[in-house]
């Protein structure tokens, strides 16, 4: 029996234990039941900024970016901005030497507002609008990842020069993740197929790009999915993509010099989940690619990867205030947020943990279900969480690993304003994105 399993049976409370690898590195427990986050007291941050609030540890984001660069010194590390795209975060990753992966005109606009170097940027997506393409061309984004024959034609018509493009390939590698976030196999919307009998396959894409005088085929791109824990899946993708590079050389007479293997590196949301082996990934990926290139007499391409969740996810927590506790056949704890600030449980069945913060309790812990405020039965943030039996309205709860795809996926369901994002470093809190107000919500309603 693990410590986390043993505590409830002993009637102990959670303040004695923070699951390592799940909570941000800077989190500490005070003797008074307080949670310290990047040197700041979480209850004080809740009082100052209100709840719900997203908190993110700037130093951990920077340190993780450095860890990637140290582990992969000869690889371009491009932060996947869809995970969390704000001016402050893009400044942090730019200052740490990372490149940037974008997928819309809006994300490019945020990058442009902080003068992110365009030569370190790329744009991808399966359905780029003309506005997306014009934004990339207008800012001088170095690489555009093309995803359809229609897009190649449209981009060629818009380009006046030599725009570098990469072809997104569906490598046929299963990531083992939830179907909604698995992107590397046949039968889904991303990339060009490797199957010879498919009209829109990688050979047709290469032919179409090479026929456009304003486009220069620079390399290939793939992405096998998200929350991938197995390094061998990336090895398989690298080997398959090396074969495609050779295939294009032999068929079209072009030696491509760049290869982007995407991101999707897993993070831990609850205890017991496997951690991503960055060191093993670095070693095994390069060995697999070097071997395949040597076998086929192909020069090693410049490698790019796109971690997003792995950079910011573990650096964030969300703080809620309990609105009500309903005890019956199940104990429901309703908080002042929900699926509008964390859509992942409803979308993917994602699991989270949570804990009481701001006070110490000696009450025995009992299983509780944390639910949101929205008019949906599926608005459940966490289930079966052992919390003190004296939990009551007004208490604060903190949820770890919420730095990625929480702010980005937030909505205004039930006309609820989106929470603020607060950066914390060395005990100093800075409001990065303010809370959305009712005036903000009504400003677009012109009826």
């Amino acid at each position: 029996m693990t410590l986390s399993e043993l505590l409830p049976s002993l009637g102990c409370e959670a303040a004695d234990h923070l699951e390592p690898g799940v909570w941000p590195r800077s989190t500490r427990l005070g003797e008074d039941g307080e949670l310290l986050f990047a040197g700041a007291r979480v209850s004080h941050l809740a009082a100052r900024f209100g709840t719900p609030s997203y908190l993110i540890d700037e130093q951990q984001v920077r340190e993780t970016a450095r860890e990637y660069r140290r582990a992969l010194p000869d690889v371009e590390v491009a932060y996947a901005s869809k995970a969390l795209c704000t001016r402050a975060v893009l400044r942090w990753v730019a200052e740490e030497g990372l490149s940037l992966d974008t997928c819309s005109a809006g994300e490019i606009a945020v990058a442009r507002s902080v003068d992110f170097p365009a030569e370190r940027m790329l744009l991808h997506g399966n359905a780029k609008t003309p506005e997306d393409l014009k934004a990339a061309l207008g800012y001088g984004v170095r690489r555009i990842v093309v995803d359809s024959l229609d897009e190649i034609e449209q981009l060629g018509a818009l380009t006046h020069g030599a725009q570098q493009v990469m072809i997104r390939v569906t490598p046929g590698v299963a990531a083992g993740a939830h179907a909604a976030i698995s992107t590397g196999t046949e039968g889904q919307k991303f990339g060009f197929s490797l199957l010879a009998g498919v009209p829109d396959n990688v050979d047709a894409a290469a032919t179409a790009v090479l026929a456009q005088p304003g486009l220069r085929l620079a390399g290939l791109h793939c992405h096998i999915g998200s929350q991938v824990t197995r390094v061998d899946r990336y090895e398989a993708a690298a080997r398959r993509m090396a074969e495609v590079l050779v295939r294009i050389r032999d068929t079209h007479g072009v030696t491509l010099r760049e290869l982007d293997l995407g991101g999707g590196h897993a993070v831990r949301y609850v205890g017991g989940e496997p951690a991503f082996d960055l060191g093993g990934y670095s070693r095994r990926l390069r060995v697999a690619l070097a071997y395949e290139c040597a076998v086929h007499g192909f020069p090693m391409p410049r490698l790019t990867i796109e971690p997003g969740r792995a950079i910011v996810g573990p650096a964030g927590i969300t703080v809620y205030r309990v609105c009500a506790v309903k005890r019956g056949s199940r104990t429901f704890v309703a908080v002042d947020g929900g699926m509008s600030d964390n859509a992942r449980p409803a979308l993917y069945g994602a699991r989270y943990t949570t804990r009481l913060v701001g006070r110490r309790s000696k009450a025995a812990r009992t299983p509780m279900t944390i639910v949101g405020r929205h008019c949906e039965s599926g608005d459940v943030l966490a289930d079966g969480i052992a919390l003190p039996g004296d939990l009551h309205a007004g208490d604060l709860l903190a949820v770890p690993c919420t730095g990625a795809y929480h702010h980005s996926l937030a909505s205004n369901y039930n006309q609820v304003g989106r929470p603020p994002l607060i950066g914390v470093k060395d005990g100093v809190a800075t409001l990065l994105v303010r809370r959305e107000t009712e005036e903000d919500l009504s400003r677009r309603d012109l009826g």
Side-chain angles (χ1 to χ4, degrees):
M1 180 177 287
T2 66
L3 177 61
S4 59
E5 292 170 330
L6 184 61
L7 283 174
S9 65
L10 295 177
C12 299
E13 53 102 20
D16 299 322
H17 179 62
L18 282 177
E19 190 70 34
V22 175
W23 291 85
R25 299 168 192 166
S26 66
T27 48
R28 301 289 184 271
L29 294 171
E31 294 183 0
D32 57 356
E34 182 59 90
L35 183 70
L36 302 177
F37 176 81
R41 295 173 68 89
V42 168
S43 63
H44 289 186
L45 296 177
R48 177 181 171 188
F49 296 104
T51 57
S53 285
Y54 301 122
L55 311 180
I56 189 154
D57 183 343
E58 175 184 346
Q59 190 60 35
Q60 181 166 335
V61 172
R62 291 181 178 274
E63 288 175 356
T64 306
R66 293 168 196 168
E67 289 164 7
Y68 266 89
R69 295 197 66 196
R70 283 196 300 269
L72 298 147
D74 53 348
V75 173
E76 180 187 29
V77 180
Y79 169 66
S81 63
K82 59 182 176 290
L84 179 61
C85 188
T86 72
R87 291 174 180 173
V89 172
L90 297 198
R91 284 195 197 97
W92 300 344
V93 297
E95 289 167 1
E96 297 302 331
L98 270 56
S99 295
L100 189 66
D101 158 40
T102 63
C103 58
S104 72
E107 291 179 356
I108 292 172
V110 178
R112 191 167 191 162
S113 72
V114 298
D115 296 322
F116 203 104
E119 66 274 11
R120 283 160 46 193
M121 290 174 57
L122 60 136
L123 171 72
H124 72 75
N126 73 294
K128 303 179 197 68
T129 67
E131 289 72 26
D132 295 331
L133 296 175
K134 290 174 184 177
L137 294 171
Y139 192 46
V141 170
R142 186 169 75 86
R143 290 151 296 175
I144 297 177
V145 182
V146 293
D147 204 286
S148 70
L149 297 180
D150 286 332
E151 182 183 306
I152 293 170
E153 182 179 352
Q154 293 162 12
L155 181 60
L158 291 170
T159 304
H160 303 287
Q163 174 64 48
Q164 295 186 43
V165 300
M166 306 178 81
I167 295 172
R168 178 157 179 172
V169 177
T170 306
V173 176
H178 191 284
I181 51 176
S182 182
T183 59
T185 56
E186 291 289 332
Q188 43 75 37
K189 68 179 185 176
F190 296 102
F192 287 94
S193 174
L194 294 180
L195 301 178
V198 174
D200 289 8
N201 65 11
V202 66
D203 296 305
T207 298
V209 171
L210 294 171
Q212 291 286 344
L215 304 181
R216 184 169 74 81
L217 184 54
L220 300 179
H221 178 287
C222 77
H223 182 74
I224 62 174
S226 297
Q227 275 297 87
V228 183
T229 59
R230 293 176 52 185
V231 173
D232 67 328
R233 299 294 80 201
Y234 291 104
E235 285 182 299
R239 294 181 188 279
R240 185 68 55 82
M241 294 300 288
E243 294 172 359
V244 183
L245 289 170
V246 173
R247 174 172 158 181
I248 289 179
R249 179 195 65 184
D250 295 346
T251 303
H252 301 277
V254 178
T255 300
L256 302 181
R257 301 293 184 176
E258 297 196 40
L259 176 61
D260 189 328
L261 292 176
H265 307 161
V267 301
R268 297 177 68 188
Y269 286 95
V270 296
E273 290 184 336
F276 186 75
D277 181 6
L278 180 58
Y281 168 82
S282 172
R283 292 188 301 272
R284 293 169 62 179
L285 189 68
R286 288 182 290 183
V287 167
L289 189 58
Y291 175 82
E292 291 297 329
C293 288
V295 166
H296 296 287
F298 196 93
M300 274 287 286
R302 180 188 187 225
L303 191 60
T304 300
I305 62 170
E306 301 171 356
R309 183 195 316 264
I311 300 289
V312 295
I317 68 173
T318 303
V319 186
Y320 299 99
R321 192 169 297 279
V322 175
C323 294
V325 179
K326 186 183 295 184
R327 294 174 172 87
S329 57
R330 295 169 67 184
T331 298
F332 289 100
V333 178
V335 298
D336 56 358
M339 64 193 304
S340 63
D341 59 75
N342 182 2
R344 295 187 68 255
L347 285 175
Y348 316 132
R351 297 171 60 225
Y352 287 86
T353 188
T354 186
R355 63 168 295 113
L356 171 69
V357 299
R359 71 175 177 89
R360 190 173 180 84
S361 172
K362 295 183 180 180
R365 294 168 67 196
T366 60
M368 301 184 185
T369 300
I370 315 303
V371 297
R373 61 178 295 182
H374 299 287
C375 298
E376 299 285 342
S377 295
D379 184 17
V380 176
L381 294 176
D383 192 21
I385 305 298
L387 290 169
D390 64 352
L391 192 73
H392 56 74
D395 276 334
L396 294 173
L397 297 179
V399 178
C401 202
T402 63
Y405 300 108
H406 290 71
H407 178 275
S408 295
L409 289 171
S411 74
N412 296 130
Y413 184 43
N414 291 150
Q415 288 296 92
V416 173
R418 289 171 290 185
L421 176 69
I422 296 103
V424 188
K425 183 181 180 184
D426 299 327
V428 177
T430 304
L431 183 62
L432 305 180
V433 179
R434 66 170 173 81
R435 186 181 302 280
E436 204 165 26
T437 66
E438 293 176 0
E439 289 75 17
D440 292 326
L441 298 179
S442 64
R443 190 166 292 128
R444 294 171 57 241
D445 189 346
L446 305 180

